[in-house]
Amino acid sequence: RWYSAFCSLIACALRKVAVKLRTVLAALCLLLIQQPASAAFSRLNVLGDSLSDTGRFFVAMKLASFGTLSLPNTPYFPGHFSNGPVWVEWYRAAHPEIEVESLAMGGAFSGPVGPFDNTADIALGGLPLIGPLVQLAASGLNTQLTYVPDVSGTDTAFALWIGANDIQYAQTLGFGAPADIVPFSLLY
């Protein structure tokens, strides 16, 4: 009788030890295999619209208008079209080992809309005296691409986040509904 009680006690203790041992081994395995991922690139160039603009539109408008035009501060984060930093800034902060350059600009179109490549060209281009300067300063994707250096043979990556302005202005482009522009733009 004492022998079976002793065996039960030992078996119970071994099960508890086994569970703890498995937990410790699982945690150790996770620590060993969970090394921080490293990027296969050391530089990131970002192209796009206001969702990636880190303040370029704000600076361009101030320069083009000799300081007379700027973005409203409220409810926006200074120099942005958002209520805080955009993803590019969060990425840059999380990956200081990667050089990040954003060529993105608020209002950018993914391609020319007639003679325009940015919504500011349409909205502000007619302003007396400064309108043409604004049109030159506000860039869309086509203009952003001209600023991209030759990166052949380098470990440079690109991020492209653009298209919201195209959809927003779909009716201006002659489409019945914004949804009609998506299949059309995929063809070209």
Side-chain angles (χ1 to χ4, degrees), residues 15-25:
R15 277 193 294 269
K16 287 182 181 179
V17 168
V19 168
K20 288 184 180 182
L21 186 60
R22 273 186 279 177
T23 303
V24 169
L25 285 175

Side-chain angles (χ1 to χ4, degrees), residues 119-150:
T119 59
D121 297 342
I122 299 167
L124 304 172
L127 291 174
L129 302 174
I130 61 170
L133 295 173
V134 167
Q135 287 180 326
L136 286 173
S139 67
L141 182 59
N142 284 353
T143 305
Q144 292 171 32
L145 288 170
T146 64
Y147 297 120
V148 174
D150 181 10

